[in-house]
Amino acid sequence: VTFRFFVTKMSELASGPVNGSHSNGAADVMSDGEIPYDYDLLVIGGGSGGLACSKEAAHLGKRVAVCDFVSPSPQGTTWGLGGTCVNVGCIPKKLMHQSALLSEAVQDSEHYGWEPHPNLKHSWTKLIEGIQDHIGSLNWGYKVALRTAGVEYLNMKSSFVDPHTVACKDRKGKEVRKTAANFVIAVGCRPKYPDIPGAKEYGITSDDLFSLPNPPGKTLVVGASYIALECGGFLSSLGFETHIMARSVFLRGFDQELAEMIASYMEDHGSNMIRQCIPTKLEKLDSGRVKCTYKHLLSGMELSDDFDTVLFAIGREACTNTLGLDSAGVRVDMETGKIDAEAEQSNVPHIYAIGDVLLGKPELTPVAIQAGKLLAQRMFGGGTTQMDYVNVPTTVFTPLEYGCCGLSEEVAATKYGEDDIEVYLSYFKPLEWTLPHRDDNRCFAKIITRTSDSERVVGFHILAPNAGEITQGYSVAIKCGMTKEHLDATVGIHPTIAEEFTTMAITKRSGRDAKKTGC
């Protein structure tokens, strides 16, 4: 006990905040035995951010280990190394989205001269097999990458015993203890379940959907998040009767004008929206279906319907409650369980956090990867560059993709005032939609500029096919301080969707019709 107290105190004296507003306080393993830690850095969590951070630290010559353990979902689903994005998030979601887009392409193909195939049909089983095979190859690749980098991989569940020690348990319950000079918490989040009877017994989440062995059939998606709309969108496009139950607004935190456009488009293309309702109970029927009883919030009326699958997408919660953070002295936000860290550093100087577990930061894989690399460089490589969480681009992969970078119109108006922003907008129809006679003016472009700052672009939004690819390109220009004048001076590539931003002239305050005719 006396030695452990001495070790802890010595580390606290040696450690300090990381470069930036802090000084570099990462403690190294002492070769002379004064502080005989097992590792310079132990990363808890083997997702994208944790892996990036651990490999970067190892490349800088440090002794590094990664502890990663996936607790089964209530339905028993588990997965391999790589975290949410690879196993039950971005990767399988984008592949499902692509399958749904191909369904639309098949419908359009006849208008482009292709003869329809009489026996063309979709196989859910084949899609799942392909997705899981690809994920399996990625899991293996991550293990190889860790081994190549010299990072020790511990497939164990870990929790703090004291500020420099974690207890690690394997699947059989065997425990070992590991010590480290520094820790990075990168455990991410898991889906929430509503506190209603039958939710965990009969409902599933995105943790389960992408390995579901049988077709989901008639599906109820509960939630208005981007995960809810993405899953509801591709299930509907794949031919499954899909109902989306939303308590209030769609895509809270995103630009609400575009959020409503997405919901409207999905509703017009087969998704059934159940608005201002919440589920109150799930029951298993003799038929095998799940009966969902739900309540309309305005009228108080109780309704019910039967479904083959009920998918909850009502938000995510940080996986910190089993980490023993109190034993390490790390403070967490009581409401969310997330860690409030300045420059990724917690209130305990040698314990850091990256990714979704951080309070008030974007829950995006590339953000975690970038933050993890930069943190390792500051801790062990003399780096000074901080993670920039401003103007991070993202895309919602709904049937009609929504890409954005910067502020929503609501936030921009609150931050700068209505009189200091200008909103440019344009409705349009991609050339590719003309032969199949798809919807006119359902695609939408919007930029928000700050008038007093040379009309610098503070918000970029697009609802269109390939919105993710378009947004990625423009986000570089936004990082460089793009103004409306820069856009006006740029020659567009014709005929493309991206050129829309080089010809925008109609402002919202003008009241003019922003819909397009012709090319």
Side-chain angles (χ1 to χ4, degrees):
V1 174
T2 303
F3 177 73
R4 177 60 60 201
F5 177 81
F6 169 77
V7 167
T8 300
K9 288 302 178 183
M10 286 295 291
S11 175
E12 289 174 352
L13 290 172
S15 298
V18 179
N19 282 339
S21 58
H22 303 292
S23 60
N24 193 326
D28 290 346
V29 173
M30 304 298 288
S31 58
D32 60 4
E34 184 181 354
I35 304 179
Y37 296 124
D38 297 321
Y39 309 103
D40 296 298
L41 175 66
L42 194 151
V43 178
I44 303 175
S48 302
L51 295 178
C53 183
S54 65
K55 288 185 291 183
E56 187 69 19
H59 290 156
L60 292 169
K62 301 304 174 183
R63 291 191 62 198
V64 185
V66 171
C67 277
D68 185 67
F69 185 89
V70 180
S71 297
S73 74
Q75 298 300 325
T77 307
T78 60
W79 49 87
L81 183 64
T84 296
C85 174
V86 168
N87 293 283
V88 290
C90 321
I91 297 301
K93 176 268 301 290
K94 184 69 181 295
L95 293 173
M96 289 272 188
H97 175 63
Q98 176 63 16
S99 182
L101 292 180
L102 289 174
S103 172
E104 294 181 348
V106 168
Q107 296 173 43
D108 289 350
S109 65
E110 188 176 353
H111 300 279
Y112 280 91
W114 292 93
E115 294 293 330
H117 194 293
N119 297 319
L120 192 65
K121 60 181 180 180
H122 184 267
S123 170
W124 174 268
T125 302
K126 189 168 185 177
L127 175 61
I128 292 297
E129 287 176 353
I131 289 173
Q132 290 303 314
D133 285 347
H134 177 62
I135 291 172
S137 70
L138 295 176
N139 297 148
W140 173 253
Y142 289 133
K143 289 182 181 180
V144 172
L146 287 182
R147 186 165 62 247
T148 301
V151 177
E152 184 176 353
Y153 168 48
L154 304 170
N155 184 202
M156 309 177 91
K157 191 179 179 102
S158 58
S159 61
F160 282 94
V161 175
D162 63 45
H164 283 281
T165 308
V166 290
C168 304
K169 288 185 179 181
D170 64 17
R171 296 184 186 279
K172 296 180 180 179
K174 181 181 178 181
E175 180 178 304
V176 296
R177 296 199 172 189
K178 298 289 184 178
T179 61
N182 304 278
F183 293 85
V184 170
I185 299 169
V187 293
C189 300
R190 295 286 290 268
K192 292 180 181 178
Y193 282 82
D195 186 17
I196 61 172
K200 291 186 177 181
E201 292 84 357
Y202 310 124
I204 67 169
T205 68
S206 54
D207 280 357
D208 312 293
L209 178 63
F210 303 112
S211 57
L212 207 61
N214 299 312
K218 180 183 176 182
T219 302
L220 172 66
V221 180
V222 180
S225 65
Y226 73 91
I227 296 175
L229 295 183
E230 287 176 338
C231 292
F234 65 64
L235 289 175
S236 182
S237 296
L238 291 175
F240 301 107
E241 182 182 340
T242 306
H243 302 252
I244 301 174
M245 183 179 293
R247 181 187 62 183
S248 56
V249 301
F250 293 99
L251 296 178
R252 187 178 300 279
F254 289 86
D255 191 288
Q256 283 304 292
E257 185 173 21
L258 283 99
E260 274 302 319
M261 288 180 180
I262 292 170
S264 175
Y265 182 88
M266 290 178 63
E267 202 162 17
D268 291 344
H269 288 78
S271 297
N272 302 286
M273 299 298 182
I274 307 174
R275 296 173 183 256
Q276 297 181 316
C277 291
I278 57 171
T280 57
K281 181 171 57 175
L282 296 188
E283 301 171 87
K284 192 78 166 182
L285 302 177
D286 291 340
S287 64
R289 279 193 157 189
V290 176
K291 177 182 178 181
C292 177
T293 302
Y294 60 96
K295 181 175 70 174
H296 189 266
L297 293 174
L298 294 183
S299 67
M301 184 182 299
E302 189 170 86
L303 305 161
S304 68
D305 199 356
D306 302 344
F307 301 92
D308 296 302
T309 302
V310 177
L311 170 70
F312 292 111
I314 59 173
R316 300 174 66 79
E317 55 192 357
C319 302
T320 55
N321 61 340
T322 62
L323 291 181
L325 293 179
D326 53 341
S327 297
V330 177
R331 291 194 297 265
V332 298
D333 179 70
M334 296 302 294
E335 183 178 350
T336 63
K338 294 193 172 190
I339 299 171
D340 189 3
E342 184 179 351
E344 293 84 47
Q345 188 170 38
S346 77
N347 63 294
V348 179
H350 65 276
I351 300 178
Y352 307 83
I354 57 173
D356 295 4
V357 78
L358 279 176
L359 182 66
K361 299 297 188 289
E363 296 182 9
L364 298 167
T365 295
V367 170
I369 293 172
Q370 181 95 325
K373 288 181 179 178
L374 292 175
L375 176 59
Q377 290 165 11
R378 295 199 308 276
M379 291 174 71
F380 304 118
T384 59
T385 303
Q386 296 286 340
M387 176 62 196
D388 185 359
Y389 292 99
V390 177
N391 290 332
V392 174
T394 190
T395 294
V396 182
F397 289 99
T398 39
L400 197 54
E401 295 179 12
Y402 168 31
C404 60
C405 183
L407 306 178
S408 66
E409 184 178 343
E410 294 86 358
V411 171
T414 299
K415 184 173 183 178
Y416 300 121
E418 293 277 1
D419 294 337
D420 196 23
I421 65 169
E422 198 70 77
V423 180
Y424 294 84
L425 58 153
S426 176
Y427 294 85
F428 60 96
K429 178 179 183 175
L431 177 65
E432 293 84 351
W433 285 16
T434 55
L435 296 192
H437 305 289
R438 291 174 66 176
D439 306 16
D440 291 333
N441 290 301
R442 294 304 291 268
C443 295
F444 184 69
K446 174 198 278 192
I447 60 168
I448 304 155
T449 67
R450 189 181 182 192
T451 308
S452 65
D453 187 20
S454 304
E455 280 213 281
R456 196 168 309 283
V457 176
V458 297
F460 174 98
H461 305 269
I462 181 166
L463 184 63
N466 302 307
E469 308 296 338
I470 296 165
T471 303
Q472 182 68 84
Y474 275 107
S475 68
V476 177
I478 292 171
K479 274 288 189 187
C480 295
M482 181 176 72
T483 65
K484 181 64 167 65
E485 184 179 2
H486 290 137
L487 287 171
D488 293 342
T490 300
V491 176
I493 301 172
H494 188 70
T496 65
I497 293 171
E499 72 171 317
E500 199 68 30
F501 291 96
T502 67
T503 60
M504 297 177 78
I506 297 176
T507 64
K508 182 172 282 191
R509 75 172 78 246
S510 75
R512 292 167 55 196
D513 189 355
K515 292 182 178 178
K516 283 284 191 303
T517 57
C519 66

